[in-house]
Amino acid sequence: MDGKAQSEGGKLWGGRFSADNDPIMEKFNKSIDFDKRMWREDIKGSKAYAISLSKASLITKDEVSSMLKGLDAVHDEWEAESFEIEQSDEDIHTANERRLSEIIGPEIAGKLHTGRSRNDQVVTDVRLWIRQELKTFSNLMKLLITSITERAKQDINALMPGYTHMQRAQPIRWSHWLMSYGSAFLRNWQSLIPLHAKINILPLGSGALAGNPFNIDREFLAKELGFNEISLNSLDATGNRDFIADVLFWLTQLSCQLSRFAEDLILYSTSEFGYVKLSDAYSTGSSLMPQKKNADGLELIRGKAGTIIGRCMGFMATMKGLPSTYNKDLQEDKIVLFDVCDAMQDVIQIASGIIATLTINPEKMKSALSFDMLATDVAYYLVRRGIAFRTAHNLAGQVVKAAETKGCSMDKLSLAELKNISPKFEEGASQIWNFENSVEQYAASGGTSRSSVLNQIAKVEKGVKADILI
């Protein structure tokens, strides 16, 4: 074999080739720069597979012992950041196997890959990596939700306008607004349970595509690696990346929720609203205008959502036309996955910090309340006195019109003027013009009364105490 053949023969796949790759192709083909972050998962999978080879009598007890000690040594080098990646290392699998061979010798190390393909190896690594990543996201979500519930309890008495169509609609508690996102984030956090179940399926033992011919005990592998079940079909197992799409969609949906959360707070922090003031820790200034305090943390959260949506859509576009089993296009999955996971970890932590450190201006919130926002309360007042809601709604509209005609707010209308619209208005009608009374009438579950909001907080706090991922 000539020098070039020996060069290509050094690769896991090189025996069939007689010439080196083009240098650009060599670089283009490599994934070690980004998939090296799965070194721990790759070693974990290899150790389990080595034991399964021993159980199948394909290697001796001495050989499996040597493999396990060698893999532990590789693990320690990565842990100590002393592992040296070489030019020939295409990916994390090649790098670890090459180093194992140097430590225990190629005769024993070369047996580790018996019946295993990088096709089933890489998808196993990715599932192991995501499984751990979901635990990180679970903890971060709990931090975010806890930040919201703590603020909701702290600021329970603050009243503010609630909005529809970006128009002031009805009075609500600031804490009720907070818990609208607390509820959404709890729902998102709880959806990690079915997502985790989709991840926790073992593909190892599927080979390149046709399966494993050496009577490998896949049930043992699943138990050893903590998977709940094994993949049903080897063709599907090596080409399936639906679980990555599921993770990307979960993160994309969360990013959209956080973007809406950020948009609200950006508006509320403007001088025009003035409801909240952001901590300096999550704000920046202007290079030209010294007076500016920009909500850059929130704006970046909002901006990241667009990038993450694009990443998710791009991955789906990559997947849509692939023929069955493994194709090299799937190397792109990890670039997208790692990028989105890294970004969203930052986003969640920034959002948690912002909500925990901002200050509110209850007086400014309350000053934004206006009596026209109590028009529905006028209708409810009449409903409680036996008038059908549609009729009461019409009468409340007449009250609004009467105030506009007189050029005053509704609370300035006299009882006589109200009685002229409906005789059902009585001496106690002035109680309508009380914002605290307004919010307290919404005592049904899910409403904005104090008791209802406190109940929401209690339920979310109880829900988030559980450890849903193990």
Side-chain angles (χ1 to χ4, degrees):
M1 185 180 290
D2 62 27
K4 288 187 177 181
Q6 290 173 355
S7 174
E8 290 302 309
K11 299 182 184 297
L12 297 183
W13 46 266
R16 178 251 184 270
F17 288 76
S18 57
D20 286 340
N21 278 150
D22 179 286
I24 297 176
M25 174 60 190
E26 186 88 7
K27 181 180 178 182
F28 192 56
N29 185 56
K30 283 186 176 183
S31 60
I32 185 66
D33 288 343
F34 55 87
D35 68 16
K36 64 184 178 184
R37 70 192 296 170
M38 298 192 302
W39 66 264
R40 184 177 284 103
E41 289 75 23
D42 192 70
I43 292 171
K44 184 175 183 178
S46 290
K47 291 177 72 174
Y49 195 73
I51 297 171
S52 72
L53 289 174
S54 177
K55 285 173 59 68
S57 300
L58 293 168
I59 57 175
T60 66
K61 290 184 178 179
D62 288 342
E63 286 173 330
V64 72
S65 177
S66 180
M67 283 183 186
L68 295 177
K69 289 179 181 177
L71 287 167
D72 283 339
V74 176
H75 179 283
D76 292 344
E77 289 184 7
W78 279 109
E79 193 76 65
E81 299 183 358
S82 61
F83 188 98
E84 295 184 7
I85 296 172
E86 296 191 354
Q87 185 66 27
S88 61
D89 295 336
E90 288 182 37
D91 50 38
I92 186 59
H93 327 297
T94 309
N96 283 340
E97 187 169 331
R98 185 264 308 163
R99 184 64 184 128
L100 179 66
S101 182
E102 292 170 352
I103 294 171
I104 67 174
E107 290 303 316
I108 298 177
K111 294 183 179 182
L112 177 59
H113 213 57
T114 303
R116 184 174 67 165
S117 167
R118 283 190 294 180
N119 294 359
D120 63 347
Q121 186 177 359
V122 65
V123 73
T124 302
D125 289 359
V126 174
R127 285 180 181 270
L128 287 169
W129 185 87
I130 292 176
R131 199 173 66 187
Q132 188 61 41
E133 197 75 356
L134 292 188
K135 294 179 182 179
T136 299
F137 276 112
S138 178
N139 291 331
L140 290 176
M141 289 297 293
K142 290 173 77 170
L143 174 64
L144 173 62
I145 296 166
T146 299
S147 297
I148 289 173
T149 55
E150 288 299 315
R151 286 312 301 257
K153 286 188 290 186
Q154 177 181 326
D155 302 325
I156 189 67
N157 293 322
L159 304 185
M160 64 176 282
Y163 298 84
T164 64
H165 306 279
M166 274 308 298
Q167 304 296 317
R168 291 183 298 178
Q170 292 177 300
I172 62 170
R173 293 187 183 276
W174 155 255
S175 294
H176 195 214
W177 174 84
L178 283 171
M179 291 312 299
S180 71
Y181 286 102
S183 299
F185 296 145
L186 177 67
R187 182 171 63 248
N188 198 283
W189 176 71
Q190 290 172 333
S191 68
L192 283 172
I193 299 172
L195 180 59
H196 185 270
K198 290 182 179 180
I199 303 301
N200 213 24
I201 299 171
L202 175 76
L204 191 59
S206 298
L209 77 160
N212 189 294
F214 293 110
N215 199 30
I216 292 296
D217 187 346
R218 297 190 67 209
E219 296 290 351
F220 164 79
L221 279 173
K223 184 177 181 181
E224 189 75 4
L225 293 172
F227 287 97
N228 288 342
E229 57 184 291
I230 62 174
S231 57
L232 181 63
N233 179 282
S234 60
L235 297 173
D236 176 56
T238 57
N240 172 27
R241 295 298 186 275
D242 292 353
F243 66 97
I244 292 181
D246 289 332
V247 172
L248 291 174
F249 180 76
W250 182 82
L251 291 168
T252 301
Q253 186 177 55
L254 176 59
S255 75
C256 289
Q257 291 170 342
L258 283 162
S259 180
R260 294 183 62 214
F261 169 81
E263 171 65 6
D264 277 352
L265 285 177
I266 289 168
L267 289 172
Y268 296 163
S269 68
T270 61
S271 298
E272 287 74 15
F273 281 79
Y275 297 170
V276 303
K277 182 179 179 181
L278 303 181
S279 166
D280 288 352
Y282 300 99
S283 308
T284 66
S286 167
S287 62
L288 179 65
M289 297 163 285
Q291 85 281 6
K292 291 289 293 301
K293 182 176 180 179
N294 300 325
D296 282 10
L298 291 168
E299 290 173 8
L300 285 169
I301 290 173
R302 188 177 59 186
K304 287 290 184 184
T307 301
I308 290 167
I309 290 168
R311 285 295 207 179
C312 185
M313 293 297 291
F315 177 74
M316 296 301 292
T318 297
M319 292 295 296
K320 75 166 185 66
L322 294 186
S324 63
T325 72
Y326 184 82
N327 298 271
K328 194 70 171 184
D329 314 52
L330 295 177
Q331 185 164 285
E332 295 293 303
D333 61 358
K334 290 168 287 299
I335 298 175
V336 176
L337 177 67
F338 297 158
D339 182 57
V340 173
C341 285
D342 290 347
M344 283 304 296
Q345 286 188 20
D346 291 343
V347 164
I348 298 170
Q349 291 179 84
I350 293 295
S352 300
I354 287 172
I355 202 66
T357 59
L358 62 76
T359 55
I360 68 168
N361 188 336
E363 292 76 22
K364 192 67 180 287
M365 290 179 175
K366 192 166 186 177
S367 69
L369 298 172
S370 56
F371 290 110
D372 62 308
M373 298 173 65
L374 300 177
T376 306
D377 296 61
V378 174
Y380 290 162
Y381 174 89
L382 296 172
V383 165
R384 291 186 178 100
R385 281 149 185 80
I387 297 178
F389 177 75
R390 288 301 174 199
T391 302
H393 185 280
N394 182 272
L395 293 170
Q398 293 181 43
V399 172
V400 173
K401 185 176 180 180
E404 289 177 348
T405 301
K406 188 176 179 181
C408 66
S409 59
M410 289 190 295
D411 65 308
K412 300 302 183 184
L413 293 174
S414 67
L415 180 58
E417 288 170 315
L418 292 174
K419 279 185 171 293
N420 189 49
I421 295 170
S422 172
K424 292 291 186 178
F425 285 105
E426 301 169 357
E427 284 293 337
S430 60
Q431 294 179 0
I432 298 172
W433 319 120
N434 183 299
F435 296 115
E436 187 71 33
N437 289 345
S438 177
V439 297
E440 281 304 290
Q441 70 183 314
Y442 298 103
S445 180
T448 195
S449 72
R450 181 186 180 91
S451 62
S452 179
V453 173
L454 288 173
N455 186 50
Q456 293 167 45
I457 294 169
K459 286 185 175 180
V460 170
E461 285 182 325
K462 181 180 179 181
V464 84
K465 282 180 180 178
D467 289 320
I468 59 174
L469 301 181
I470 59 174

